[in-house]
Amino acid sequence: MPLGLYLLGLAVFAQGTSEFMLSGLVPDIARDMGVSVPAAGSLTSAFAVGMAVGAPLMAVLVRRWSRRAALLGFLGAFLVVHVVGAVTDSFAVLLATRVVGALANAGFLAVAVMTAVGMVGADAKGRATSVLLGGVTVACVAGVPGGALLGQLWGWRSAFWAVVVLSVPALFAIVRSVPGGAPSAAQVSVRSELRVLRAPRLQVALLLGALVNGATFCTFTYLAPLVTGVTGLGERWVPLVLALFGLGSFAGVAVAGRIADTRPGPVLVGGGAALLLGWAVLGLTAGNPVAAVVLAFVQGALSFGVGSTLISRVLYAAAGAPTLAGGFATAAFNVGGALGPWFGGVVIGAGLGYRSPVWVSTALVGLALAVGVTGLRRRAVGPARAPWTV
């Protein structure tokens, strides 16, 4: 894999830290800002909404820019809004910075995905995707629990400042690693790309990605109160459990990246079934510290292994949409990232407790498997291929 691909992963790490770090900061933000825990959890949904809306929109707006200019512009804007978020005393302003930061992150990731797959051969998109998403999983391993630890030591604002510090070297890395030429995708019309993206098997793959990611972030967003309020562990355990989830995600992406290009079926079918079982078991055993800690690792691995494979399937299916494929893949996954925490907040707000988001995750993965099985049955009776066979 080219060095530039790993340097793009550094920038994704900085942004992934921001996207996920609120999982360990939600209770502190709620207390400091005088809002409820579900309201503070909506900051994650706001970020995901901005990502979902911004990914295809930003990809279209900058399609004639050089990839280096687009990446630098998005990362620079991301850095600025985190400075604002770190100093504001207004929850409304903080919410607005999450949306704007998400738009910048969405544009960056949409361009970075297509830049990454352009750095490798046509049959290595799964590996390139796994390297890029490695930045996200490292954020889960180090950035998210690190943010939780910073929040416990110096307050949640220190985690925002840490993201600013992380973004600076990423800017220099992009200048050195990404070529400045205009993207070749500028020669392909938006209408032609949208026609490619209307393919049924591609839309099913995007739907599966949204459902799996929704399940992941429904529970992950409220993992801190689950650990302290249901499992019965102290606040000092929160960074450790978050780190275990991140280590699992890193392992899942690493393993899936090695086989996603050649054997996606076992990852998606077998991994999806195991993911459903894991969420159900966590829902039943969340009060047991050993089970909760072990399942944090297992579910992280399964969630990101299946999720990263779905992204690579989208990229294979949308080879004729070189500008918008990354944006739509990013958007679909963040639709799930928005709806998952929102559903989790709804069930918590209804008085069902901090265990209830786990059952929502179970239902979402169950729905994804039902959609997948329907795709397999259609494949058996007709010529259309299921999304994981692209």
Side-chain angles (χ1 to χ4, degrees):
M1 293 287 106
L3 175 62
L5 187 52
Y6 292 96
L7 294 176
L8 281 176
L10 171 64
V12 172
F13 164 67
Q15 297 181 44
T17 296
S18 171
E19 183 175 5
F20 305 140
M21 69 183 182
L22 293 190
S23 297
L25 301 175
V26 164
D28 292 338
I29 292 174
R31 285 193 297 268
D32 187 45
M33 291 290 187
V35 298
S36 67
V37 168
S42 71
L43 292 170
T44 300
S45 292
F47 197 97
V49 168
M51 290 281 287
V53 173
L57 178 61
M58 296 296 106
V60 170
L61 289 177
V62 302
R63 66 193 308 270
R64 295 186 182 276
W65 293 20
S66 74
R67 284 178 175 165
R68 180 195 293 168
L71 292 171
L72 288 175
F74 287 133
L75 188 55
F78 182 84
L79 188 154
V80 169
V81 298
H82 277 74
V83 173
V84 176
V87 300
T88 186
D89 290 323
S90 167
F91 183 77
V93 171
L94 180 61
L95 186 64
T97 66
R98 297 304 288 171
V99 174
V100 176
L103 291 173
N105 189 5
F108 182 93
L109 192 55
V111 176
V113 166
M114 302 316 297
T115 302
V117 298
M119 291 179 173
V120 300
D123 59 347
K125 293 180 181 179
R127 289 189 65 193
T129 301
S130 69
V131 170
L132 192 67
L133 292 183
V136 178
T137 61
V138 172
C140 290
V141 174
V144 175
L149 183 60
L150 286 174
Q152 291 176 8
L153 294 176
W154 297 301
W156 63 267
R157 297 175 193 274
S158 64
F160 279 67
W161 285 115
V163 171
V164 173
V165 172
L166 286 172
S167 298
V168 174
L171 285 169
F172 289 101
I174 290 169
V175 171
R176 297 193 61 180
S177 65
V178 178
S184 59
Q187 305 301 320
V188 183
S189 71
V190 173
R191 182 174 298 178
S192 296
E193 295 200 34
L194 289 175
R195 190 158 42 249
V196 171
L197 293 168
R198 286 199 295 268
R201 69 177 182 272
L202 179 58
Q203 293 181 5
V204 171
L206 292 170
L207 175 59
L208 292 175
L211 290 171
V212 169
N213 213 40
T216 301
F217 289 101
C218 180
T219 295
F220 186 64
T221 298
Y222 300 102
L223 193 55
L226 178 73
V227 167
T228 57
V230 177
T231 308
L233 297 173
E235 288 190 358
R236 292 185 178 182
W237 279 86
V238 171
L240 175 60
V241 175
L242 292 172
L244 284 172
F245 186 94
L247 283 170
S249 0
F250 182 81
V253 166
V255 173
R258 293 184 177 275
I259 59 177
D261 293 309
T262 57
R263 301 181 62 197
V267 178
L268 295 177
V269 178
L275 185 61
L276 174 64
L277 178 62
W279 286 132
V281 172
L282 180 60
L284 293 171
T285 63
N288 183 301
V290 174
V293 168
V294 170
L295 285 168
F297 177 87
V298 171
Q299 293 305 96
L302 293 171
S303 295
F304 278 79
V306 172
S308 65
T309 303
L310 284 168
I311 289 179
S312 70
R313 290 298 95 195
V314 170
L315 297 179
Y316 275 113
T323 300
L324 297 183
F328 272 75
T330 301
F333 275 75
N334 281 280
V335 167
L339 292 179
W342 181 78
F343 284 137
V346 167
V347 293
I348 291 173
L352 299 179
Y354 291 124
R355 192 191 300 252
S356 58
V358 182
W359 292 113
V360 175
S361 296
T362 306
L364 290 174
V365 174
L367 180 57
L369 283 175
V371 171
V373 169
T374 301
L376 281 174
R377 288 177 177 173
R378 288 181 177 178
R379 180 191 174 197
V381 299
R385 295 193 298 174
W388 47 80
T389 64
V390 174

